[in-house]
Amino acid sequence: MEYISQFKENTTLILLGAGNSSRFCADRKLPKKQWLRCGKDPLWLKVLQKFLSFGFDKILLTASPKECLYMQNYTSHPILAGGETRTHSILNALKEVKTPYVLISDIARFNPQIEVIESLFEAMSKDRSLSCVAPYLPAVDTTFSSSAGFLDRQELKLIQTPQLSKTRSLLKALSNGEFSDESSAIASLGEKVAYTLGSIQMGKLTYDYELKTLPLTPPENTSFIGQGLDIHAFMPNKSMLLGGVHIPCDYGFKAHSDGDVLLHSLTDAILGAIGAGDIGEWFPDTSAEYKNADSKLLLKEVLDFSISVGYEIVNVDLTILAQKPKISPYKSQIKQSLSSLLSLPPHLINIKATTGEEMGFVGRGEGVCVMSCVNMKFLDWSKK
């Protein structure tokens, strides 16, 4: 690592992980690829650890704005909000870069090779007129273009990451428009770009079917328990919703949203299981955005997030404390509603109901309290 050692003090590594993995998890049955669990760690953390082992210490990571705070739980390295495109994410990160060189890699290219990275720095060391060095693989198959016909594969290069660039040149290039990588952006300025041989081991994870051929460790079979508790008082002349089910009565729940105390409790339990805060942080009752909000949609947002970062629900157990209304006639409907909302079979959802024995605010018929317990595990992508 002779050349890496020479450059590392003057180089910032940017790991890009803000993409939405639309091609990879289009059917919502898989996590985003950067959150695939390998053992107990998400893929992006495995990539970070590998670069740390190479000696890099000035490291920035980009993530979806909704994931930044959650991602920060795993590392002390700065997590920056990415943009809508790869170019926007890099520009956001470059605002924090103080070094003359920047090495940028996609987390989806999860198996960086030290020999390839060393060759990038070696090329830059030997020719300081270069503004970018990128790894490539030669095209080995016959290549055809509908507009240009058969192409000379000896003239073609399949460009990989990471790529090493001069920070000033890259910033100038990306300010001119959208580019799929750094080498094409800098080449658009007419500045000098060089290519070094990459590695077939640095394949990029793009589609779900590639999981069967790539060297990734399946997730550990670990359980995560989350608890949720929510309380709402009654108010007259408001529709009552419990577990997404309308219960006929002349009062509902006093709340900023629709007041579905059961769904609020369940949402909090999911957040607890994955370590992502609480419902008040996600949907503050001081925000006009959530005035009269549909609690089913709030639950869906949190559930979708839990799937995207690599979890799935195993089973749910709920206890409803209510002197009124009578819960028993609606338990079956509530279970079916939850089964639909969670995409979970009814037999994995248990609902218990009890009264306050005329004690406390529940016993006095002033409101309802719901306690939820959710068991979750890492979503096993190896079996999908």
Side-chain angles (χ1 to χ4, degrees):
M1 298 191 291
E2 173 188 353
Y3 293 99
I4 291 177
S5 298
Q6 288 180 22
F7 275 79
K8 82 168 188 175
E9 290 304 314
N10 292 317
T11 303
T12 300
L13 169 67
I14 299 174
L15 297 177
L16 300 174
N20 58 18
S21 297
S22 56
R23 291 175 293 182
F24 182 77
C25 54
D27 61 2
R28 204 172 149 266
K29 292 181 180 179
L30 286 171
K32 295 168 70 171
K33 53 193 171 186
Q34 55 267 44
W35 285 98
L36 288 172
R37 300 290 167 156
C38 302
K40 60 181 173 55
D41 294 327
L43 186 62
W44 68 262
L45 185 58
K46 292 288 190 183
V47 174
L48 171 61
Q49 291 167 344
K50 193 154 190 180
F51 275 102
L52 287 170
S53 74
F54 296 161
F56 293 97
D57 50 16
K58 294 181 177 65
I59 302 175
L60 303 172
L61 299 98
T62 69
S64 163
K66 285 188 175 181
E67 295 170 13
C68 287
L69 186 61
Y70 185 65
M71 201 169 174
Q72 199 71 75
N73 289 330
Y74 291 79
T75 179
S76 60
H77 292 282
I79 310 294
L80 307 175
E84 293 183 1
T85 67
R86 188 178 191 276
T87 295
H88 289 160
S89 292
I90 295 174
L91 285 172
N92 285 351
L94 287 177
K95 294 175 185 176
E96 306 299 322
V97 173
K98 310 300 182 187
T99 56
Y101 297 96
V102 61
L103 183 71
I104 299 179
S105 192
D106 301 287
I107 286 170
R109 208 173 291 277
F110 61 89
N111 194 23
Q113 299 297 301
I114 187 64
E115 298 82 2
V116 174
I117 298 171
E118 177 75 357
S119 72
L120 303 178
F121 286 98
E122 180 180 2
M124 188 69 78
S125 176
K126 291 180 177 179
D127 186 354
R128 296 301 176 99
S129 69
L130 292 173
S131 292
C132 179
V133 187
Y136 77 96
L137 290 179
V140 296
D141 296 318
T142 299
T143 308
F144 176 80
S145 167
S146 57
S147 59
F150 289 97
L151 305 177
D152 183 355
R153 61 189 175 194
Q154 294 184 347
E155 296 295 321
L156 300 177
K157 290 180 172 63
L158 309 178
I159 309 302
Q160 299 183 310
T161 63
Q163 298 180 19
L164 178 64
S165 305
K166 288 181 177 175
T167 304
R168 183 175 297 179
S169 295
L170 183 59
L171 183 58
K172 180 180 178 181
L174 295 182
S175 298
N176 292 333
E178 292 289 331
F179 296 90
S180 60
D181 79 325
E182 297 78 73
S183 66
S184 59
I186 290 177
S188 73
L189 297 176
E191 296 190 16
K192 193 173 180 180
V193 177
Y195 301 93
T196 62
L197 187 63
S199 169
I200 195 170
Q201 296 181 66
M202 298 200 313
K204 184 180 179 183
L205 179 57
T206 304
Y207 298 102
D208 57 354
Y209 61 79
E210 295 170 321
L211 289 171
K212 299 184 183 301
T213 61
L214 295 174
L216 290 171
T217 305
E220 290 183 355
N221 186 21
T222 305
S223 292
F224 301 88
I225 306 299
Q227 294 180 326
L229 185 148
D230 200 36
I231 301 167
H232 280 303
F234 296 135
M235 68 178 295
N237 303 316
K238 184 178 181 182
S239 177
M240 172 171 283
L241 292 167
L242 195 63
V245 173
H246 174 68
I247 297 181
C249 54
D250 58 1
Y251 54 88
F253 291 116
K254 184 179 181 180
H256 186 65
S257 66
D258 65 14
D260 193 323
V261 63
L262 189 151
L263 295 188
H264 295 179
S265 173
L266 180 57
T267 300
D268 246 356
I270 294 172
L271 290 170
I274 67 174
D278 62 52
I279 192 171
E281 296 172 25
W282 278 66
F283 314 110
D285 60 10
T286 54
S287 172
E289 179 182 358
Y290 302 113
K291 179 69 174 175
N292 298 319
D294 185 340
S295 295
K296 295 192 297 296
L297 298 181
L298 305 185
L299 172 63
K300 182 180 186 303
E301 183 172 337
V302 167
L303 180 63
D304 286 349
F305 179 84
S306 72
I307 294 169
S308 74
V309 298
Y311 292 87
E312 63 181 339
I313 296 177
V314 178
N315 72 294
V316 173
D317 184 39
L318 305 108
T319 301
I320 304 170
L321 288 84
Q323 195 72 35
K324 66 173 190 178
K326 191 74 172 175
I327 301 299
S328 297
Y330 303 100
K331 283 175 67 174
S332 178
Q333 286 178 254
I334 293 172
K335 179 177 286 195
Q336 289 300 324
S337 172
L338 295 180
S339 176
S340 177
L341 290 170
L342 301 175
S343 298
L344 198 65
H347 71 272
L348 297 177
I349 300 169
N350 189 56
I351 300 173
K352 307 185 295 292
T354 185
T355 68
E357 298 292 342
E358 299 184 353
M359 297 183 293
F361 78 93
V362 171
R364 292 192 297 269
E366 297 173 0
V368 170
C369 174
V370 179
M371 297 183 292
S372 302
C373 184
V374 172
N375 180 22
M376 303 186 76
K377 66 176 183 177
F378 292 137
L379 196 156
D380 192 349
W381 48 263
S382 69
K383 295 179 180 179
K384 296 296 182 180

